Amino acid sequence: QITLKESGPTLVKPTHPLTLTCTFSGFSLNTTGVGVGWIRQPPGKALEWLALIYWNDDKRYSPSLKNRLTISKDTSKNQVVLTLTNMDPEDTATYFCAHQAPWFAELSAAFDIWSQGTTVAVSS
Amino acid sequence: DIQMTQSPSSLSASVGDRVTLTCRASETVDKYLSWFQQKPGRAPNLLIYGISGLHSGVPSRFSASGSGTDFTLTISSLQPEDFATYYCLQSYSLPRTFGQGTKVEIK
């Protein structure tokens, strides 16, 4: 059974960085084709994809946030870490991490299992 | 970037109604199209993968179809627990992109 859970601050000051950790179980990020993604959702708005890290350490970012985002993994700890620098009130959102199935599997690269989400507010 | 456009943005329907939601991609996404249901304060739940594959545990009243750039999600007989917002997602290329969502409300 795959589970993911985020951890990190619920309140961040403007211009400060946000670091979120996704701790997962039930799968390995050493498995070919597997990825972990981060998605966020501002209050009342749509889902926005942020970043993805693959089993082979390939890292991909949203073009609009690429200069501010860093994603990394610690396979031994079953964790993926997302850092978003220079936080702004517009970054206030619920942040999710999700397991991405391999593109060659039946699930066709779908985000099949999601974390519960963590709400982060940006305010002084 | 591939743009995903969902229509309508919201709809009102009654329990028992047949409901069809649409998602259009700005270019082909091959088979890499999925649908999610999200209820307020909850994480999205995967309903459909690979255009029409029903995810484990999803009721059979949900079905989906499409190809290339045009896709639909159908709920054959709307149930009270189906009132939610539905999103499509393309996983064909990076960046991944979601539709803006369709909110299904009670009439």
Side-chain angles (χ1 to χ4, degrees):
Chain A
Q1 178 192 4
I2 292 174
T3 65
L4 305 99
K5 185 174 176 64
E6 334 81 359
S7 57
T10 58
L11 180 64
V12 176
K13 294 184 187 304
T15 76
H16 287 217
L18 168 68
T19 298
L20 294 172
T21 300
C22 177
T23 303
F24 57 85
S25 63
F27 69 96
S28 171
L29 249 183
N30 283 324
T31 302
T32 299
V34 169
V36 171
W38 285 93
I39 301 100
R40 73 179 179 180
Q41 185 172 39
K45 295 189 177 181
L47 299 165
E48 178 187 15
W49 176 79
L50 300 177
L52 189 56
I53 189 164
Y54 287 99
W55 85 103
N56 60 358
D57 210 35
D58 187 15
K59 302 165 185 176
R60 302 301 177 111
Y61 299 102
S62 166
S64 63
L65 295 167
K66 184 174 182 178
N67 291 338
R68 299 172 53 205
L69 282 169
T70 304
I71 191 170
S72 63
K73 64 182 175 72
D74 185 332
T75 307
S76 65
K77 293 183 179 178
N78 281 352
Q79 291 181 334
V80 171
V81 176
L82 183 79
T83 299
L84 180 60
T85 60
N86 194 21
M87 290 287 281
D88 181 271
E90 289 195 351
D91 296 312
T92 293
T94 298
Y95 288 76
F96 303 95
C97 57
H99 171 269
Q100 182 182 274
W103 69 91
F104 50 80
E106 183 181 6
L107 283 167
S108 304
F111 289 121
D112 57 337
I113 307 294
W114 294 57
S115 65
Q116 65 186 21
T118 185
T119 299
V120 179
V122 183
S123 174
S124 54
Chain B
D1 301 3
I2 297 178
Q3 307 304 315
M4 306 299 290
T5 303
Q6 290 185 242
S7 60
S9 56
S10 65
L11 65 89
S12 296
S14 301
V15 173
D17 283 353
R18 181 182 181 88
V19 169
T20 298
L21 284 57
T22 297
C23 176
R24 174 166 288 177
S26 60
E27 55 189 272
T28 183
V29 298
D30 197 350
K31 64 177 179 177
Y32 299 96
L33 191 284
S34 50
W35 290 93
F36 298 85
Q37 177 193 68
Q38 187 181 33
K39 296 180 181 179
R42 305 292 297 272
N45 279 326
L46 178 66
L47 298 174
I48 301 289
Y49 60 87
I51 298 179
S52 58
L54 197 65
H55 191 45
S56 176
V58 175
S60 59
R61 61 181 179 272
F62 290 93
S63 64
S65 64
S67 65
T69 60
D70 293 311
F71 306 93
T72 59
L73 173 70
T74 297
I75 309 171
S76 60
S77 177
L78 203 61
Q79 298 301 300
E81 60 268 30
D82 301 336
F83 291 96
T85 301
Y86 294 83
Y87 293 95
C88 60
L89 165 70
Q90 68 81 17
S91 299
Y92 178 69
S93 69
L94 291 157
R96 301 285 190 252
T97 43
F98 291 90
Q100 80 280 15
T102 294
K103 186 174 185 179
V104 177
E105 299 175 300
I106 301 172
K107 181 183 280 186

